[in-house]
Every structure is written in C-alpha cells, then in structure tokens.
Amino acid sequence: MTLEQMLQSRIQQIRPRFLAALSERLDRLEVLRDSFDDTPPEAETLEEIRFGAHKTAGTAAPLGFKELGELASQCEQMIDAYLAGNATSPKLDRVTATIDDMLGEMALVVTCSSPD
Amino acid sequence: MKILAVDDDEVVLELLYETLLFAGFQEVTTVTSAKQAADIIARESVPFDCFCLDIQMPEIDGIDLCKWIRRQPNYQKTPILMITAMSDRSYIDRAFAAGASDYVTKPFDSLELITRLRMAERLNAESKKATDSIFAVKALRAQMQDKARINLATPVSIEGVDGVIDLLALENYLLQLSRGGKYSMSAVGFKIADAETLHAKCSPTEFIDVLADVAAAISENLKFSGFLMSYAGNGAFVSVVDGVSISLSEPEHLENAIRHTIETMELDLEDGTPLRVQLHMGAPMRLGLSSGSAAVNILYRAIANAEERCKAQFAKWSTGSGLSAFKILRNRVRAS
C-alpha cells in the first residue's frame, strides 16, 4: 500500500461521521427548501442554505463524494450571486434548480452510502 | 510543531487531524470556535507554532480571529494558514491583510496541505533563531544598546502600516490569486534611491522607522485601490494592486504623489538631522492570467523595474544632463 493509500484509508474512517452530519444537514435544508415552494425565499433562508452548501463543499470530495462537493460549491456560488442583487445576478429559478440538484445528490449519498 | 486548528465543522477537524498526524505532526489541538481558540491560546504556557483557521464560523470568523492572534505577544510572526472554502478574492484579500501567511482552499489536497505546513515549520524554525529575532520593531527598540546591523538586503518586517505584509505572505497571496485564474492585477515596485547611504547613516531602529514611513506614504496613496505590499530588502518595496484603479493608469502622478507625501513627513534622524528620501517607482506589470511561479516572477520583475529606474535616474544625474561635477557634489551634500 502506498503512503497516499494509507492516508486515504485513515480518512475514509471519517466517512460515517460525515454521513451522519450530512443526513442532519439534509433534513434541515429540505425544510428550508420547502418553505419557498410557493413564495419567494427570504434572504435569511438562502443564507442558511448557502452555509449548508459551503460546509458540504469543504468536506465532500476528500471523503469520496466529488460530485456532491462540486454541486454544493456551485450552489453556494449561485446563491452568493443571487444575493448580490446586481445586473448579472441569476434568476431565482436557476438558483432553485441548483439547490435542488445539490439536495438530490445529498439524498443519494445519504441513502446509498453505508457506514464502513 | 505545535498546531492549533480552528473550524466549526468537526468533520473538517477530523480530516485535518488525521492528515497532520499522518504527516508526523504529533501536537495538534482542535477547537470548534474562535472563542475556544482564544481561551486555549491564553491558557497555554507553551505557545503554538502554527495556526490553521477556517474563515466562516458563527459569531467570530477566522479573519477576526487572525487579527486577534496577531495582536497577542509571541504571535506576530507565527505562521497562520487559512484553510477555507471561501475562494472569493475579497476573502483572500481580507485574510492576508489581517495577517494570514498562507491560504489553502477546501476541499484541501492532503499533500499540498502537508507541503505548506512543512514550509511553515521551516519558517518557524528560522524565526526562532537569535539573529533573526531583531526583525520585530519592538524587540529592536528594547535592544537600543545592541549594535547589531540589519543587513540591507534582508526583507525586514514592517509593522503597523495598512496593507503591508511579509514578502513570503505576498508570494503566497499571489499564488492564491493565480490559482483562481480569474484575476487581473498589476505588480509595481518602488525603490529608495541610494538606500546604501541611508542604511549606513541610520541606526537599525532609525532605518526601520524610515522604511515604515516610506511604506506608510505608499500605502496612503494606494489606499483607494485594492492592494497589498511588502518590503523586499535593499530599499525596495513591491505592491500588488488592482490593475483597473486610477493609480496605475497615471503612474507618474502616483510617483509624484508618494514623493510629496514623503516630503511632508519631514523625515529625520533621532538627533534631528533631516533626511532626504527619494523614491522611484518602476513601470507597473500586469499579472494577467499568469499562474504559479510565473506570477511570482512578475513580482520580482516589478522590483527589478524599480531598481532599473533608480539606476537610470542616478546615471542621468551623474552623467551631467548639463550639470557640472561641482553642482553634482553640491547637490549630494545638500541632500545629506
């Protein structure tokens, strides 16, 4: 086993705790997402979703969830751009779609991944 | 090396801990808030050798924590690595301006993180050596009887001036911008004319004071642009500036403005002898989409530009341009 493989093996032991935290985060983010199905979201709601995306983006890839990490990063940037409220800001439907993509991937990871 | 890692996400702390332990860093402490970090820093009798800080944390963020750490005794020079998913330029700018010495974006690459910590470990070991301890102005002032000279070529730390960071931190800042691949800034160098004479004339504390005053003059005139700057040794400064600012579209105007600011400072030695400090500015160099070592090379070319301009001005002066040898000598006497 190479040194890098040994390090990866130790890092993968953290996956169960990541998945547990992700599951809790997903529950909270889904509640927030449901709150603006019919009405435009409050800025605070988007901020909280952005924070959840930010935290996910920082840890998903090293633990083997590269796609989730990328979607979370895109979601964070999309919300940032929307909240900037300038001429180049994306429309809300694009932001919503990005959030849904991230939540979908989160659900997939939580459902399909089992603790080591 | 004794490391303190601060992040509100426990999974990140676990990742960091495992990575650092694997790399041989045995003394790693992790906490989940800036407040816990402040408590443990105040409590520890043996100082930490390095900090790894997340930026976005509830209540007190990593940048404010960085500023606080820099204000504590023993921690002015301690390596501080920001390890964060905040890749936006404004966060990078704020982090380095707050005193961060390096910046690693999450998700971090384990080997890159280890490499950067090894660099921090080497820096830490060097800064603990006795002859290098005179870099701190406070230490220098406390050692007024110490006749040790500062090597002119050494890029001593300039403290207490807005936007001034150590040269190595500026290099790391540039590397971060370059990785983003989406920034357009310029590097511009400044050089004190005849720095050798100034260095010989001044005591160590006087020389550092002059450097700090010149840095303050540059900082004052760049303050409307986004900028960071460093002292590079040999009387030269280098700055990375927002390339679209007005300052750099009119470089002669900027050079004259900085010179005027220096003149109004009425610099002098501690015995009241006036000092005439002339500063030359080199041609700004666009960083464009350069990356990695190419961007850092541009930084040093900007310094070289300033040195060449300095030499060119001196050559123009000393070859006459209509001046007689007597007038040249008279001007030099008046200047000193």
Side-chain angles (χ1 to χ4, degrees):
Chain A
M1 190 185 275
T2 66
L3 286 174
E4 193 168 347
Q5 285 171 332
M6 284 170 63
L7 174 58
Q8 284 307 315
S9 170
R10 289 170 73 153
I11 286 175
Q12 292 313 310
Q13 293 173 23
I14 302 172
R15 272 171 70 123
R17 286 182 282 290
F18 168 77
L19 290 168
L22 187 69
S23 179
E24 278 188 33
R25 188 176 298 147
L26 176 60
D27 289 343
R28 174 62 186 153
L29 292 179
E30 283 179 335
V31 167
L32 293 169
R33 173 64 185 94
D34 288 342
S35 74
F36 58 92
D37 252 342
D38 301 318
T39 55
E42 302 280 342
E44 291 80 8
T45 302
L46 287 177
E47 287 278 5
E48 193 174 343
I49 294 175
R50 192 197 72 80
F51 187 77
H54 168 75
K55 289 301 178 187
T56 305
T59 48
L63 291 166
F65 305 110
K66 187 175 173 211
E67 189 164 348
L68 174 59
E70 286 172 359
L71 287 170
S73 181
Q74 285 169 22
C75 180
E76 180 189 1
Q77 289 171 39
M78 187 70 73
I79 294 176
D80 269 341
Y82 176 78
L83 290 175
N86 54 38
T88 57
S89 292
K91 296 268 191 318
L92 181 59
D93 57 351
R94 273 188 66 201
V95 180
T96 309
T98 310
I99 293 171
D100 290 341
D101 285 344
M102 178 189 70
L103 293 180
E105 184 65 20
M106 268 189 189
L108 199 63
V109 166
V110 168
T111 307
C112 297
S113 300
S114 55
D116 291 342
Chain B
M1 185 165 70
K2 187 173 169 182
I3 300 172
L4 177 65
V6 188
D7 197 308
D8 62 313
D9 189 330
E10 294 191 4
V11 172
V12 170
L13 288 177
E14 285 200 60
L15 277 170
L16 265 175
Y17 185 85
E18 287 297 331
T19 303
L20 298 183
L21 201 64
F22 179 80
F25 296 105
Q26 304 285 340
E27 289 186 84
V28 180
T29 305
T30 59
V31 294
T32 55
S33 73
K35 185 174 182 315
Q36 286 179 16
D39 287 344
I40 202 170
I41 288 168
R43 216 169 51 226
E44 288 287 305
S45 54
V46 177
F48 288 97
D49 299 310
C50 180
F51 297 96
C52 297
L53 310 181
D54 183 27
I55 287 184
Q56 193 163 28
M57 296 188 285
E59 295 177 9
I60 302 171
D61 70 19
I63 291 176
D64 285 337
L65 176 59
C66 179
K67 282 184 203 167
W68 181 86
I69 291 172
R70 284 293 181 227
R71 290 198 296 267
Q72 307 313 305
N74 302 320
Y75 290 122
Q76 284 88 6
K77 310 310 301 172
T78 307
I80 299 180
L81 273 71
M82 309 305 289
I83 302 180
T84 178
M86 311 303 293
S87 59
D88 188 79
R89 181 187 142 186
S90 64
Y91 287 100
I92 300 175
D93 287 357
R94 285 176 54 211
F96 279 96
S101 39
D102 207 348
Y103 193 108
V104 176
T105 49
K106 284 188 233 172
F108 56 80
D109 177 86
S110 300
L111 294 178
E112 180 184 353
L113 177 65
I114 292 168
T115 301
R116 290 186 170 275
L117 282 167
R118 291 261 178 258
M119 283 170 57
E121 189 175 36
R122 276 198 298 276
L123 271 176
N124 206 51
E126 284 168 13
S127 74
K128 281 178 179 172
K129 284 182 187 171
T131 52
D132 291 343
S133 68
I134 63 172
F135 283 3
V137 173
K138 254 190 206 174
L140 203 54
R141 288 194 188 283
Q143 296 167 30
M144 288 295 290
Q145 302 306 314
D146 190 340
K147 301 298 180 192
R149 303 293 303 175
I150 298 171
N151 189 317
L152 175 62
T154 302
V156 295
S157 293
I158 307 293
E159 297 179 18
V161 179
D162 285 344
V164 176
I165 62 178
D166 284 348
L167 187 60
L168 182 59
L170 187 64
E171 288 183 20
N172 288 336
Y173 167 76
L174 214 57
L175 288 170
Q176 287 301 324
L177 293 186
S178 299
R179 281 195 207 100
K182 52 187 173 182
Y183 303 109
S184 178
M185 301 184 83
S186 295
V188 59
F190 305 88
K191 177 87 162 86
I192 295 174
D194 205 8
E196 295 78 7
T197 303
L198 185 70
H199 176 256
K201 192 182 301 184
C202 296
S203 69
T205 47
E206 286 169 340
F207 186 65
I208 288 187
D209 281 346
V210 169
L211 293 179
D213 287 335
V214 171
I218 299 171
S219 172
E220 175 66 21
N221 286 281
L222 288 179
K223 68 182 178 185
F224 300 110
S225 313
F227 83 98
L228 287 173
M229 63 182 279
S230 296
Y231 176 62
N234 289 311
F237 297 82
V238 64
S239 179
V240 178
V241 186
D242 180 353
V244 298
S245 73
I246 290 175
S247 303
L248 290 184
S249 65
E250 302 167 334
E252 282 184 13
H253 176 77
L254 174 61
E255 183 184 61
N256 289 336
I258 295 172
R259 286 177 175 175
H260 175 72
T261 304
I262 292 172
E263 280 172 21
T264 59
M265 287 173 165
E266 296 182 345
L267 302 181
D268 56 12
L269 297 174
E270 285 172 0
D271 64 4
T273 307
L275 280 176
R276 186 170 178 274
V277 176
Q278 177 81 323
L279 192 75
H280 296 288
M281 180 175 135
M285 298 199 62
R286 294 298 294 269
L287 290 169
L289 296 177
S290 60
S291 62
S293 57
V296 174
N297 285 344
I298 291 175
L299 196 74
Y300 285 94
R301 279 166 59 192
I303 297 170
N305 281 355
E307 288 174 342
E308 279 165 20
R309 176 156 158 74
C310 207
K311 282 180 195 165
Q313 291 296 314
F314 179 77
K316 185 177 165 186
W317 201 41
S318 62
T319 53
S321 296
L323 290 179
S324 67
F326 168 73
K327 285 184 182 175
I328 292 168
L329 182 60
R330 182 189 65 187
N331 290 344
R332 276 194 182 167
V333 168
R334 282 179 180 171
S336 63

